[in-house]
Amino acid sequence: MRDQLGFGGICMNSMDGVSDRDFALELMSDLSILMMHLSRFSEEICLWCSWEFKFVTLSDSFSTGSSIMPQKKNPDITELVRGKTGRVYGDLMTLLTAMKALPLAYNKDMQEDKEAVFDALDTAQLSLEVLAPMLRTATFHPDNMKKAALGGFINATDVADYMTRKGVPFRDAYCVTGQLVNRCIELGTTLDALPLAEYRAFSPVFDEDVYAAIDLLTCVRQRSIPGGPAPETVKQQIEAVRAQL
C-alpha cells in the first residue's frame, strides 16, 4: 500500500512538504475514519456472534476457542480490529501533536511522520485484508434475525401507515397502534401473529390484508427511497460504490 500511495519511492521531506505535513495528516484522517467504520462493523459482528443474538457464526479459521469454556468461539479478528482503531487514531494524534507548535520551514520534529504514517497504513491494510475473507466464510442466520426483528415491533409504524391508507388520520392511527402493541405485550405475541379479531376490537378498518401490509419483507421493500433498505436500493448503492472504486 505504501508504494501505491507514493510513499515507497518518494522522500516525505520533498519540497511539497517542507513546511507542512498536511498530505500525511489528510491521509491519516481518512484512515482514521475508515478504521472508525471498520470498528463499528466489528462491534456488530461481536454482538451478532454472541448467544444473545446468534445472527452469525464465524469460520473456525477466523475465531478461537476459550481457554476454559469449550463451547465458546471468540470473534478475535473483529475484537482486534476494534482495538487497533485506537492505534490509528493515536498515529493521527502523534503527528498532529508533533506539528502543532512548529514555526515555518522544516523542523526535525517532522521526521516523526514516518513511523506514524506507515503504522497507520499497515494497520488499516491488514484490517481490510483479514475482514474480507472472514465475511466470505461466515454463516449468517436469517431466521434468527427475522425472529429478533418481529419481537421488537419494528413494523408498528407500518400498522399506522396501513390505517392512514384506509382513511384514518395519522394521529388516531398512531394512538391505536400503540394500544395494539400493548395488547401484544399482554398476550405475549407479535403484531403479525395477533388475531384479526383483536385488531378489529380497536378499529373496524382492519381486514385480512393487514398481515401482508405489515410483513417484514413488505416493510423493507416499501422503503425504496435512496439509501433505504429495499433490496433494489441497496443494490443501487453497491453498484454506485463499485463504480467509484
Side-chain angles (χ1 to χ4, degrees):
M1 181 181 282
R2 300 180 190 181
D3 292 336
Q4 294 171 349
L5 292 169
F7 288 99
I10 298 177
C11 177
M12 292 176 66
N13 292 336
S14 64
M15 292 301 295
D16 291 337
V18 168
S19 63
D20 70 65
R21 286 295 180 270
D22 289 2
F23 65 97
L25 290 168
E26 289 174 3
L27 170 63
M28 295 167 70
S29 295
D30 291 339
L31 292 175
S32 294
I33 294 172
L34 168 65
M35 291 300 297
M36 177 269 292
H37 286 292
L38 294 182
S39 179
R40 293 181 64 184
F41 177 75
S42 295
E43 172 64 9
E44 294 279 359
I45 297 298
C46 288
L47 289 173
W48 291 1
C49 285
S50 68
W51 285 102
E52 290 78 8
F53 287 80
K54 205 58 180 175
F55 291 169
V56 62
T57 300
L58 298 181
S59 166
D60 289 345
S61 300
F62 295 94
S63 57
T64 62
S66 168
S67 60
I68 191 172
M69 295 180 284
Q71 84 284 5
K72 191 176 181 185
K73 289 178 66 173
N74 295 317
D76 285 357
I77 298 300
T78 50
E79 290 177 359
L80 287 169
V81 170
R82 190 176 57 187
K84 286 184 178 297
T85 299
R87 178 171 176 164
V88 176
Y89 289 178
D91 290 330
L92 172 60
M93 291 307 300
T94 293
L95 188 52
L96 283 171
T97 304
M99 296 296 298
K100 73 177 181 62
L102 298 183
L104 291 177
Y106 179 73
N107 294 270
K108 200 64 174 176
D109 312 50
M110 292 183 184
Q111 72 177 14
E112 291 299 313
D113 58 2
K114 317 297 188 298
E115 184 177 12
V117 169
F118 292 154
D119 182 69
L121 279 169
D122 291 342
T123 301
Q125 181 175 10
L126 287 171
S127 298
L128 290 170
E129 288 178 349
V130 74
L131 284 178
M134 183 200 75
L135 286 176
R136 285 195 295 267
T137 58
T139 301
F140 291 86
H141 307 294
D143 290 342
N144 291 344
M145 295 178 180
K146 183 176 181 180
K147 181 179 179 181
L150 287 170
F153 300 106
I154 62 174
N155 52 356
T157 301
D158 299 273
V159 174
D161 289 342
Y162 170 89
M163 295 183 69
T164 59
R165 290 195 294 271
K166 299 281 187 175
V168 179
F170 183 79
R171 62 181 179 276
D172 297 331
Y174 180 95
C175 180
V176 170
T177 302
Q179 294 172 340
L180 285 167
V181 169
N182 287 334
R183 182 58 175 163
C184 286
I185 294 173
E186 291 175 3
L187 297 176
T189 188
T190 58
L191 287 168
D192 66 303
L194 189 67
L196 184 58
E198 292 287 347
Y199 275 103
R200 287 179 170 164
F202 290 92
S203 175
V205 302
F206 289 109
D207 209 337
E208 289 288 350
D209 60 346
V210 67
Y211 297 107
I214 66 173
D215 181 79
L216 290 185
L217 290 178
T218 302
C219 299
V220 171
R221 289 169 180 151
Q222 287 180 341
R223 288 163 171 79
S224 58
I225 60 173
E232 63 269 20
T233 57
V234 172
K235 291 177 182 177
Q236 290 171 4
Q237 291 296 315
I238 293 173
E239 291 304 319
V241 172
R242 284 176 175 168
Q244 287 182 329
L245 293 174

